[in-house]
Amino acid sequence: TTYTVSFNDGSPDTILNHPPPPSIVHSFKKSSCGVTSKGIMNSFYANIVATNPSGTSESFVVPLYISTPLTATCTLSSPITCTNTPVCVENTSKGGVVVTAAGCEQPKSFWTITPSVGVTLASGIMGNNNGSSDPDFWTTGSDEICPQFSLPGKYTITYNIGNSCGVFKVDSKVCVEEPLVPDFTLDKNTGCIPTTVNATSTTNLTNTCTIPKYKWDVSYTDGYCGSISSYTVKNDSTPNASFEFKSAGIYHVKLSVTNSCGLRSATKDVIISMPPSVKVDTIPDFCGTASIRPKSVVNSCAPASATINYFWEFPGGIPATSNIEYPGPINYSLPGTYDVKLYVTTACGASALSTRRFTIHEIPTLTNAVLSQTV
């Protein structure tokens, strides 16, 4: 005698020889929901056919109601989001269908968000437990919700799913942060070539979920006797950076910080100066004696507030020196060639010496060399 054991769940038949084992063990891999066996809906059957030379005998075990275990899981689109920017949570649970003679019972579910202040749904339906722990009384929500949060903080999105076999909860943690407001300090915002400036980020990180990304950049504008930028920067992707400026001009230091809300920037200027330049104006020549009030053209190569010190020299003149911008009168009593000298200083150093030369010519004296003459 041979025995053919079959189950109508798609698994292969099992053929046994006599004597058969006292029992057969079979594992169903899917639910019987939707399957009709021997006229009975949502069920499987077990069939045993015994065959020998005398004939065939067959026996059924029906109905076999097979449910699927519930594996409760969720998928969160991102654990970090920005205020007023939706983050989505999707139900990815498997199984949970309970099959009975009454039919197929699908699990029910609803969502909760804690804390709930400032929370709105960009899409989806929360559902509700209607004050009951029995899933039969729940109002099922959508498989995906996309909440957005007007306030920064840490939130818990809970997916509640259950059937007559039990209730399960899956928590998804979300951290909500605000757009950053970049800010930084400079240990100095003016200097002379070359100078080193240290920058320190003071950006408020109170409502951030992770350490933001930092980026320091520099742009340049001509000025203060400079026309070409020259600088180096260290630690340009950290909260604190160091800059060495090697030529004069206006350097625009920019800090950019990035979090889940995007990139924000702040800029501050650093003025770099160089030693001044000076040129004494032309002085005309004189006859006999001279009295001059020399002038000059000075470029401080620094901000207008910079202090300029003047150092005049008048060899052969009275007075012989001066430290004011517009000296004079400077008096010369004898003919000759004279130099007027000037250099200026600022906090960034001294200019080159500028010299202007002029001459005092002797006045000619007409004399009669003929003491007597007869015509």
Side-chain angles (χ1 to χ4, degrees):
T1 302
T2 60
Y3 304 88
T4 302
V5 182
S6 61
F7 298 85
N8 64 332
D9 60 351
S11 59
D13 294 345
T14 300
I15 299 176
L16 305 171
N17 292 317
H18 192 79
S23 63
I24 297 294
V25 176
H26 179 74
S27 294
F28 289 93
K29 304 299 183 183
K30 60 183 180 180
S31 168
S32 62
C33 185
V35 178
T36 300
S37 299
K38 306 300 182 180
I40 301 175
M41 297 178 61
N42 302 314
S43 69
F44 289 130
Y45 64 74
N47 183 33
I48 301 178
V49 177
T51 302
N52 64 15
S54 300
T56 298
S57 176
E58 182 177 10
S59 178
F60 284 94
V61 177
V62 68
L64 299 176
Y65 296 111
I66 305 300
S67 302
T68 54
L70 176 60
T71 303
T73 59
C74 286
T75 300
L76 181 64
S77 61
S78 175
I80 299 174
T81 189
C82 183
T83 52
N84 302 310
T85 301
V87 61
C88 295
V89 189
E90 181 185 5
N91 167 34
T92 53
S93 302
K94 296 181 180 179
V97 179
V98 177
V99 182
T100 66
C104 301
E105 176 193 351
Q106 298 291 338
K108 291 186 176 182
S109 62
F110 68 95
W111 302 87
T112 58
I113 301 177
T114 306
S116 60
V117 177
V119 180
T120 58
L121 286 185
S123 63
I125 299 173
M126 295 282 288
N128 201 299
N129 67 351
N130 298 312
S132 175
S133 60
D134 186 347
D136 286 343
F137 296 96
W138 293 358
T139 300
T140 295
S142 56
D143 279 339
E144 181 182 73
I145 61 170
C146 296
Q148 58 187 23
F149 310 86
S150 62
L151 301 175
K154 295 182 178 180
Y155 295 81
T156 300
I157 304 173
T158 301
Y159 183 63
N160 305 269
I161 185 170
N163 54 24
S164 59
C165 293
V167 174
F168 302 87
K169 294 184 177 182
V170 181
D171 289 337
S172 299
K173 303 292 185 179
V174 178
C175 185
V176 180
E177 56 188 4
E178 291 179 313
L180 293 170
V181 180
D183 197 10
F184 61 96
T185 59
L186 301 172
D187 64 348
K188 60 179 76 72
N189 57 14
T190 60
C192 304
I193 58 169
T195 191
T196 298
V197 175
N198 297 308
T200 302
S201 172
T202 56
T203 304
N204 188 344
L205 304 180
T206 301
N207 292 316
T208 58
C209 300
T210 59
I211 298 175
K213 294 181 179 179
Y214 296 87
K215 184 68 173 69
W216 297 90
D217 296 290
V218 176
S219 57
Y220 177 79
T221 300
D222 294 351
Y224 306 102
C225 303
S227 59
I228 300 175
S229 68
S230 178
Y231 68 93
T232 57
V233 58
K234 296 179 180 179
N235 305 320
D236 63 347
S237 59
T238 67
N240 306 318
S242 177
F243 304 86
E244 183 179 7
F245 300 107
K246 304 175 182 178
S247 64
I250 306 171
Y251 292 86
H252 313 288
V253 178
K254 182 173 74 172
L255 169 62
S256 299
V257 291
T258 304
N259 66 359
S260 67
C261 299
L263 182 147
R264 301 289 191 279
S265 298
T267 302
K268 294 185 179 182
D269 290 345
V270 177
I271 295 175
I272 302 299
S273 305
M274 60 186 293
S277 65
V278 63
K279 183 179 181 181
V280 178
D281 288 353
T282 300
I283 301 173
D285 289 345
F286 294 84
C287 291
T289 61
S291 181
I292 64 173
R293 294 180 181 271
K295 296 181 179 180
S296 63
V297 177
V298 176
N299 190 339
S300 69
C301 301
S305 60
T307 299
I308 303 175
N309 301 302
Y310 293 80
F311 299 92
W312 293 91
E313 294 181 5
F314 309 105
I318 298 174
T321 62
S322 178
N323 59 3
I324 64 175
E325 183 177 1
Y326 301 109
I330 311 300
N331 298 311
Y332 297 83
S333 60
L334 298 174
T337 299
Y338 298 92
D339 289 331
V340 173
K341 302 177 181 180
L342 171 65
Y343 70 93
V344 297
T345 64
T346 64
C348 288
S351 69
L353 181 67
S354 176
T355 301
R356 183 65 67 179
R357 177 168 292 178
F358 72 99
T359 299
I360 301 175
H361 300 283
E362 184 176 0
I363 297 176
T365 301
L366 179 62
T367 59
N368 185 0
V370 181
L371 300 180
S372 62
Q373 185 176 17
T374 298
V375 178

